[in-house]
Every structure is written in structure tokens, then in C-alpha cells.
Amino acid sequence: MTAALPAVTPKLVIARRRTVAINVLRLAAALTIMLVVQSGSLTRALADDCVADPGPKYQPIAGLPDDSFPVCYLAPNDANKAAYTALQSRHILEVYSQFLSPLRLPHPLTLVALNCQPNFNSDSPFYSPGDRALHFCYEWYKVVLQWAPTATTPEGVTRANVITGMWAGTLLHETGHAVFDMLDVPVFGREEDAADEVAAFIAVQFNKDVARTIIKGFAYFWQMAAKAGNDPPTATNPNPAKDATQRCLRDPLCAYADVHGTASQRLYNTLCLGYGADRETFKDFVQMKWLPKARADGCEREYHQLESAFIKTILPFIDPDLRKKVQSIQWLLPTEVQ
Amino acid sequence: MRHSITMTKRSIAGALAVGLLPAFQAAPALAQAPVLPSNPQIQVEYLQPKYNAAAGQNQFNEFTTIYAWLQARRPLEEIQKFLAPLRLPRPIKIEVDTCGAERRAYVSGAPVTVCYELIDKIKKVAAGITGNDALKQMVIVGTFTQAVLHELAYGVFDVLQVPVWGREDDAADRLAAFVLLQFSGEIAHTAMVGSAEFFLLSRKTWTGSAFADAGSPEGQRFYDFLCVAYGGDPLDFGGWTQAPQGKDPLLPAFRTEHDGCRYEYEQVRRAFNLRIMPYIDPDLLLQVKAAQWFLPGEVRK
């Protein structure tokens, strides 16, 4: 099913570093000229480049600020028009902007949907500290659509779960990078894993339907990525054709040099944090042996460690009243949490 | 193919070999121990090996040999001195014990454990290195030192209530690597080269649900060590980024590009300064860094 897929690199954030890819810097420089984010709103220059909302217009959720995190959909190319339409009509960025409203960052974080090919030579969304913007690639949305199952899987994952879980999980992952950067959060472990932890942790702070949709969808995506060859080749079976990154053709071990965990690690890390947060809600993960018991036994401890880290390093920057309001809202549509 | 990890390194036979940990085979006499106080909050114990019927008599004999060697050399007592600057609100005990596996998961309040099984594995991996006694010694000394600091990191995270983002096992690796890099080139070299070589030589094939393990594949640990080392000291470890003709560099360009390893090192450094440095006695730290941990003549520059 996935063998015919393009050699995408389903790795969130290549440019999460302070010193980012050259093409990111180019964009950053361009954006710096085009936009000066002032008081949480876009300048007219950027607004001119953003695609106007074709309507129906977004109706902000009452009681939550809608201008803290400026949003912009840049014009899609022909290949990305369908992705743009899907994201824009759902008002993904506008909704996410309000979702983030309890977060108090020292600098504005801009949410931009854009074509990432060919300028960035990647389909993967990224946060770039150079312009303090979260870039959501139209191409990524297409990848998710391609990898989402057409029928409910044996694990009970629906197509809607994966599509919704991935756009939500991806935005949360990238926001993790932004938060680590802007709040100078101490990160002892590998940052890409930490960003996945942010996504999983936030997901399980909401009702069971939302939590299960995001955890299952995010996890299943990485399961598909592993099947598509995004786990490293093995020493005994180098099979370089399965090295989807095409960067380690001479040396299979080199695939482990990536800053991201393997696709399978990301699958199990996500399942583990869901199960660790709420063993009752996610007990089927263990029952169906999606999450091996040997790992499951330590998941509650892993979750509590994550919770402690969140409380110490990020929670102080979250408005408690707005947080309660955000947690009380049903963010996903009924069709998305099936 | 990758070129040798030691190809571009200084040769440092014997580094740490006396001060921190003599090699298992006949080792030179102990150096004059640095005149430093032992950290009273770091307790150590070498437990007698336990017979494991499933593992058999041969393994028990191996562990007994290791136990005798530990009793004679007492490397953990050197670690106590090495950690003299660390001010802990409550004690952490480091013990060597029979675990039935190479690692024993840390439990809050319980000792951190270095398993006989891991020491035995280090010994066996090193024994497989032929024609390079210096590298063999680095694998033993460096990996043991790194392993103790790795396990100890769990206790430090717990006792100091350090927020840990990312998988804890990786965090422990990065903290251990960072600490070792703060010391002399000989310590850093031995620990980083020895540990990395150990990961390389002991790597297993990981597939499917093996990736569910809370610990990381040896390949990831290998590159994490190399990257933090290179990021912290690009002059000493820069050779790892050079590709000899027809070969790949040890550290692929996609990991090092855009100062990626420097970023990773700085990330650990900032985290350390924020969360652990307040518990470090600066005067004792300087004494530890200045201490002669080796016998004169044992370190080849």
C-alpha cells in the first residue's frame, strides 16, 4: 500500500535548530522584510501575501482571544490547491491559533501554511527560530492523506483518526519546538522526542475522544512510516532501497544518525504516553499487543516524568483561566473523532 | 564504508586506566589517588555475584572474577572523588549487582545499579578487539566510566527533581557525555571514543517491536555521543566529520550541518547550567578538573 509512495521523509522539523537550513534562512529574511509582527497581528505587507478567506468566514470561539497567534495561508501552487482548500475550509490555523491562546510566549508565534516544495526540498512542517514561525506544509497534508487507511484498521484506527490526529499532532509537535526555543526550556533528552512528548501530553489533557483520536492517529502514522521503510535498515539486511532518506546508501548504521527517532520508536513512544496517562482509556493498546507489555509497565512512570517536566517548565507560561476554557471546548468535529 | 573511529584520534593508551578504572587484565599499579574528598552523599557497594542457574556456572565464574577485581581496584571509590563537587540533598547509592540483564531500571529512592552483566559484556566486547590494545583499554575504561555516570544520571534526575524532556535514557547519555567532556582531553577522549566504539561493536539488529524499548538502539547512542563530543569540542573531534577518500565520515553531514551538533551540545549545557550547576561546588569542581587522574607517562599526547 505504501510502497508506491514517493520517497518522502516523514520527519517533523528539519529546521528546528537555531541555525536552520539555508532555505529557511532565505525565507526568514524574506519574511522579515515582508512582515513585522506587531502586537500579535500581521502587518499589511504579509496580509497582502496571504490568501483571503474565501468564506464562509471563520467565526472565532467566544471567550478566547483570536489574535494572539497570527495566521496566514500563502497561495498554494496547483498541486497543493486541494490541501489548501481542506485546511482553509476547516480553518485549521485559525482554530489552532485560538487553541494556543492560553500560552504566553515572549514573542509572537506566526502560523503559516505554505508550499514547502521546491524551496525547502521537504514536505515536512517545521518551526524556524529565525522568523519564529510555524510552517505547515501543504505537501505534508497530502502525505497524511496518502498514508491514512481507507478502512478501519485492526487497531480500530479510522481514516479520520489519522488525518485529524496528524494535523493536530504535527501542529503540537512543532509548537513544542517553538516553546523550547522561546522559553529556553531545558531539554536533556533528544529534542525531537521531546517535541513528540509535547504533542502527546497536550492531547491527553482533553476528553477521551480527542485524546484517543490524536494518540491513535499520530501513532498509526508512524506505524505506516515504519512499514514504508522509515526504520533504519539492519546490519544483516542493509536493503538500502528501504532507506527512505536516501542518505545512508553506503552505510546502514548511518540511518541512526538522524536527530529524529525511528518511525517505530515514535509509534511506541506515543502509545506509551497515552497508556501512561490513562490506562483505562488506552488499555486496548496493551490488550491487542499494539504496545508490548514490557514497555507498557513503565509508561505510567514515563508519563509522570513528562507531566512533572511540563509543570515545571511550561505550565507557568499558561494562563490558568484560558486553559480551563480551552479544555472545556470540543475542538474536533464529530466526524473527526469517530 | 565508515572509517575507523580512532583513525583521526589521538592515541591515549592508558587514559583513566589507573585513576578511574584499570583494565581488567594485568594493570599497572594504582596511581596516587588525587587528594580530593569523597562525596559523602555518593555511597558505593560491590555486591557479591549471585548464581543464576539459567545463566550457568561459567557466567558466575566470570562475575566472580569481576567482583574480585572490583574489590581490589575499587573504581567506584574514585568515582566518589570525581563527584566530590556534586551537592545532593540526599544520598545516592551506586552498587554493582547481578541483575539478570545488562540494565536494571532505576526506582526512585533505590540504588542505581551497574550490572555485572554489563561489565561482563564490556569485557567481552573489548576482548574481541585485536591488534589495538589502546582501543581495547579505552573501550573498557571509557565504557565503564560512561556506564556509571549514565546510571547515576537517573539518580541525579530523581534526587534533584530535574525536569526531563525527551526519553530519560537518552537524557542520561547526553548528561554523561557532557560531564565527561568538561574534563581533560584524555578523560573526554577515552570516555567518548571508548563508549562509541562499544556501541558500535555491540550493536544488535533492531526491527519491529524491538523499537518499543525505552532504551535507544546502540546506533543512536553511538551518534548521540559523537555529536555531543563534536559539538562540544570540534577541534579535538573534528576528524569525525572528515571523509577519507572513498569512505563516509563517521558523523554524516546531515547530522552536523548548520551547526547541528553545536546546537545539541549547547542545549545540554544550558540545561545543565540551569538545573544541575546550582548543586555544584565551584571550588571543588576546579580541583577535580585539575586533579591528575593518571600516572605520569600513561597518557600519550
Side-chain angles (χ1 to χ4, degrees):
Chain A
M1 150 183 186
T2 53
L5 290 175
V8 294
T9 308
K11 300 177 185 307
L12 306 181
V13 183
I14 291 168
R16 88 284 178 265
R17 298 173 179 139
R18 288 177 188 278
T19 307
V20 294
I22 291 171
N23 46 15
V24 176
L25 287 175
R26 285 182 185 142
L27 177 75
L31 284 178
T32 303
I33 295 169
M34 287 194 306
L35 74 104
V36 179
V37 180
Q38 295 174 331
S39 304
S41 61
L42 296 170
T43 62
R44 180 178 298 176
L46 179 63
D48 287 348
D49 271 21
C50 302
V51 179
D53 187 343
K57 299 291 184 193
Y58 176 62
Q59 298 298 317
I61 297 164
L64 289 177
D66 64 347
D67 59 354
S68 302
F69 296 85
V71 306
C72 174
Y73 296 85
L74 292 173
N77 58 32
D78 287 346
N80 289 330
K81 279 185 177 169
Y84 160 76
T85 301
L87 292 167
Q88 200 282 329
S89 61
R90 177 67 173 89
H91 296 291
I92 294 286
L93 297 186
E94 293 89 334
V95 171
Y96 192 61
S97 174
Q98 287 203 277
F99 178 89
L100 288 179
S101 60
L103 182 59
R104 302 290 183 232
L105 295 176
H107 310 284
L109 172 67
T110 307
L111 312 177
V112 183
L114 74 170
N115 305 307
C116 290
Q117 299 282 9
N119 288 345
F120 302 100
N121 192 30
S122 171
D123 296 333
S124 302
F126 57 92
Y127 163 74
S128 66
D131 58 357
R132 297 195 184 107
L134 193 161
H135 301 82
F136 194 93
C137 307
Y138 295 127
E139 293 87 349
W140 181 249
Y141 191 76
K142 288 161 58 181
V143 170
V144 173
L145 290 183
Q146 284 178 290
W147 287 19
T150 52
T152 302
T153 72
E155 296 88 359
V157 181
T158 67
R159 181 171 177 79
N161 286 157
V162 175
I163 295 170
T164 306
M166 275 312 290
W167 70 249
T170 300
L171 287 169
L172 290 167
H173 172 105
E174 300 307 335
T175 304
H177 286 297
V179 167
F180 295 152
D181 173 44
M182 290 199 214
L183 299 182
D184 206 14
V185 171
V187 178
F188 276 104
R190 289 158 56 100
E191 184 175 335
E192 292 298 335
D193 293 332
D196 277 353
E197 289 177 348
V198 169
F201 182 81
I202 299 295
V204 297
Q205 305 312 307
F206 292 84
N207 66 56
K208 290 179 182 179
D209 287 343
V210 170
R212 280 183 64 82
T213 294
I214 297 176
I215 294 290
K216 285 168 62 181
F218 200 69
Y220 181 81
F221 179 86
W222 294 116
Q223 180 167 301
M224 287 295 96
K227 285 183 178 174
N230 285 278
D231 274 349
T234 65
T236 53
N237 180 22
N239 190 14
K242 290 195 75 177
D243 175 14
T245 67
Q246 299 291 298
R247 296 176 299 186
C248 301
L249 297 180
R250 286 195 296 185
D251 179 3
L253 188 72
C254 155
Y256 283 111
D258 201 287
V259 293
H260 300 81
T262 68
S264 286
Q265 283 178 307
R266 302 181 76 174
L267 156 70
Y268 293 118
N269 290 343
T270 304
L271 295 177
C272 183
L273 290 176
Y275 181 69
D278 185 345
R279 287 191 291 182
E280 180 60 27
T281 296
F282 294 97
K283 63 185 178 188
D284 56 323
F285 289 0
V286 180
Q287 289 170 345
M288 70 176 85
K289 299 182 180 174
W290 201 11
L291 176 65
K293 187 175 182 307
R295 176 68 180 272
D297 289 344
C299 291
E300 194 167 3
R301 178 181 182 276
E302 286 190 47
Y303 176 78
H304 285 310
Q305 186 169 55
L306 169 59
E307 183 181 49
S308 171
F310 184 89
I311 289 170
K312 286 187 176 181
T313 61
I314 298 178
L315 190 61
F317 299 91
I318 293 180
D319 183 296
D321 295 329
L322 287 175
R323 179 183 135 209
K324 285 178 189 167
K325 170 81 174 167
V326 164
Q327 284 181 298
S328 71
I329 291 170
Q330 179 62 48
W331 290 94
L332 302 181
L333 304 174
T335 53
E336 294 171 333
V337 294
Q338 288 172 341
Chain B
M1 293 298 291
R2 197 181 313 106
H3 65 90
S4 165
I5 192 169
T6 54
M7 182 175 288
T8 57
K9 311 306 303 172
R10 291 180 298 166
S11 175
I12 51 166
L16 284 177
V18 175
L20 282 179
L21 178 68
F24 291 94
Q25 58 270 41
L30 280 171
Q32 183 68 44
V35 183
L36 278 166
S38 291
N39 188 328
Q41 295 290 68
I42 301 289
Q43 303 165 354
V44 302
E45 185 174 9
Y46 309 96
L47 297 170
Q48 287 197 352
K50 301 176 186 71
Y51 179 73
N52 179 346
Q57 186 65 40
N58 285 347
Q59 188 196 66
F60 181 71
N61 293 342
E62 292 285 349
F63 290 3
T64 302
T65 303
I66 293 169
Y67 173 71
W69 174 83
L70 291 169
Q71 285 287 333
R73 302 301 189 188
R74 311 201 76 80
L76 293 184
E77 279 78 350
E78 293 304 306
I79 297 284
Q80 279 181 307
K81 293 180 181 178
F82 192 74
L83 296 171
L86 183 58
R87 298 292 184 225
L88 296 168
R90 57 184 168 90
I92 297 176
K93 184 177 181 182
I94 310 171
E95 64 181 23
V96 180
D97 196 7
T98 312
C99 305
E102 289 169 16
R103 296 278 316 284
R104 175 182 289 167
Y106 174 74
V107 177
S108 179
V112 297
T113 306
V114 180
C115 300
Y116 280 109
E117 288 84 351
L118 178 59
I119 301 174
D120 189 47
K121 182 175 181 179
I122 295 169
K123 190 179 165 184
K124 287 187 166 73
V125 167
I129 298 171
T130 55
N132 191 340
D133 288 344
L135 179 61
K136 182 182 292 191
Q137 192 145 321
M138 279 195 277
V139 168
I140 294 171
V141 173
T143 310
F144 180 86
T145 308
Q146 174 274 132
V148 174
L149 293 181
H150 175 97
E151 298 303 334
L152 184 65
Y154 280 86
V156 170
F157 291 150
D158 178 31
V159 169
L160 298 184
Q161 296 289 289
V162 173
V164 176
W165 282 103
R167 286 149 56 99
E168 190 173 15
D169 215 51
D170 298 325
D173 265 354
R174 281 159 48 110
L175 176 58
F178 174 81
V179 168
L180 289 164
L181 281 168
Q182 306 314 305
F183 292 87
S184 71
E186 288 73 33
I187 291 178
H189 260 279
T190 299
M192 307 312 282
V193 174
S195 298
E197 189 74 28
F198 174 77
F199 295 140
L200 202 58
L201 295 174
S202 64
R203 67 186 187 274
K204 302 185 294 285
T205 298
W206 290 62
T207 56
S209 62
F211 287 108
D213 199 287
S216 292
E218 297 83 3
Q220 273 177 353
R221 301 183 71 188
F222 171 78
Y223 287 111
D224 285 350
F225 263 76
L226 262 54
C227 189
V228 170
Y230 171 66
D233 191 344
L235 288 179
D236 252 10
F237 296 103
W240 290 343
T241 64
Q242 308 300 314
Q245 193 170 13
K247 296 183 177 180
D248 293 330
L250 270 178
L251 260 173
F254 66 79
R255 181 69 176 257
T256 60
E257 64 187 358
H258 315 304
D259 276 340
C261 290
R262 183 70 188 168
Y263 174 87
E264 291 188 42
Y265 174 83
E266 286 297 324
Q267 188 172 55
V268 182
R269 189 180 68 81
R270 287 198 311 275
F272 182 90
N273 285 344
L274 191 61
R275 290 291 171 173
I276 298 179
M277 199 61 192
Y279 300 93
I280 301 287
D281 182 309
D283 296 326
L284 280 173
L285 176 63
L286 288 178
Q287 288 185 47
V288 167
K289 292 178 80 166
Q292 178 65 46
W293 294 94
F294 316 101
L295 275 178
E298 285 209 329
V299 179
R300 276 186 261 155
K301 301 285 184 183

